[in-house]
Amino acid sequence: MAKTERRESFRASLDKQPHEVASMFDGVAKRYDLTNTVISAGQDRYWRWTTRKALALRPGERVLDLGAGTGVSTVDLAKSGAWVVAADFSQGMLAAGRHREVPMVAADAMRLPFADASFDAVTIAYALRNVADPDLALREMLRVTKPGGRLVVAEFSTPVFGPFRTVYMEYLMKALPKVARAVSSNPDAYVYLAESIRAWPTQSQLALRIADAGWSRVEWRNLTGGVVALHRAHKLG
């Protein structure tokens, strides 16, 4: 019983030690998908649909869905007819999604277990922010992408309208943990979520980091007023 209580109240620190982040996500895995839908007021479905459209997948392509969690996003991407593999470093998240009929692999974003030029496209949604070294992860994603391939990063970002940004930040720091307490198996993890979003680079700052990692033609699109940003880039042939 004592072990369960400690895990349920566990949260990672903002230095994002991999073992801490993995343990935290193991603790929220059981109700992770429900919690995401609740705290986003159902916007998570729209964000997934928009990510799939941005990838412009074609039947037969090979796609890496990195930080896929329980595989909800992987199933959605596979609707395109592409072959999509879910990769995540939380064993608990992968176990929670094992009923889904998509291939799943345990993987660290900073040391991907795939050969060079393995995928036509790579996407990472709401997970790059949780990696200890996002720049290394971006370089690893570039390595496993075929020349001419593409990247889409979906991540929480900075609302562009000042008054809305103020209200949103208040929601993150005060209301979100309270909402999570009602539905999540580890509500303290959502305090980390709020803090990590607040500390994350702006849209333009992230675009520069993606370009610095070697990606080309970097562009972004704001969703829900900038609550989420989709960054799209290509690997030169």
Side-chain angles (χ1 to χ4, degrees):
M1 177 63 73
K3 284 187 177 180
T4 300
E5 289 173 355
R6 281 198 297 270
R7 190 178 76 170
E8 288 184 349
S9 62
F10 179 76
R11 52 172 291 199
S13 57
L14 286 182
D15 62 0
K16 301 170 188 175
Q17 294 298 315
H19 67 281
E20 289 186 354
V21 176
S23 179
M24 182 183 68
F25 279 101
D26 288 347
V28 300
K30 186 176 180 181
R31 306 187 75 183
Y32 181 75
D33 299 322
L34 170 63
T35 304
N36 282 350
T37 298
V38 171
I39 66 176
S40 70
Q43 288 290 294
D44 58 321
R45 297 183 180 92
Y46 166 65
W47 297 336
R48 281 196 300 273
W49 177 83
T50 308
T51 299
R52 176 159 56 93
K53 292 296 183 182
L55 280 164
L57 301 177
R58 295 182 291 275
E61 288 191 312
R62 294 176 60 85
V63 183
L64 173 61
D65 185 12
L66 187 56
T70 66
V72 171
S73 56
T74 316
V75 171
D76 192 64
L77 293 172
K79 292 175 182 177
S80 64
W83 181 87
V84 190
V85 59
D88 202 284
F89 74 156
S90 166
Q91 296 284 353
M93 295 289 275
L94 294 172
R98 64 178 177 267
H99 61 284
R100 297 195 166 98
E101 295 183 357
V102 291
M104 291 187 165
V105 176
D108 183 340
M110 297 183 291
R111 291 179 293 275
L112 291 174
F114 305 108
D116 295 356
S118 295
F119 298 99
D120 298 286
V122 177
T123 184
I124 182 167
Y126 319 107
L128 186 61
R129 189 188 70 258
N130 300 316
V131 178
D133 189 339
D135 302 305
L136 176 55
L138 287 166
R139 293 194 297 272
E140 272 290 275
M141 286 183 265
L142 183 72
R143 179 184 66 79
V144 303
T145 301
K146 296 176 182 179
R150 56 226 186 261
L151 167 75
V152 170
V153 178
E155 189 53 86
F156 292 110
S157 197
T158 306
V160 293
F161 180 55
F164 175 54
R165 182 166 59 246
T166 300
V167 171
Y168 174 65
M169 291 302 174
E170 285 289 308
Y171 167 73
L172 278 180
M173 301 312 298
K174 295 181 180 179
L176 186 148
K178 292 180 181 178
V179 173
R181 196 167 294 119
V183 291
S184 174
S185 55
N186 182 4
D188 282 355
Y190 290 86
V191 177
Y192 159 86
L193 171 67
E195 291 177 348
S196 65
I197 292 172
R198 188 170 63 174
W200 187 242
T202 64
Q203 290 89 325
S204 58
Q205 290 169 340
L206 180 56
L208 287 173
R209 292 176 72 166
I210 294 171
D212 286 345
W215 293 93
S216 301
R217 294 162 52 194
V218 183
E219 57 188 8
W220 75 84
R221 172 188 175 187
N222 288 314
L223 305 179
T224 317
V227 169
V228 166
L230 285 185
H231 284 73
R232 193 169 190 264
H234 293 78
K235 180 176 180 176
L236 290 180

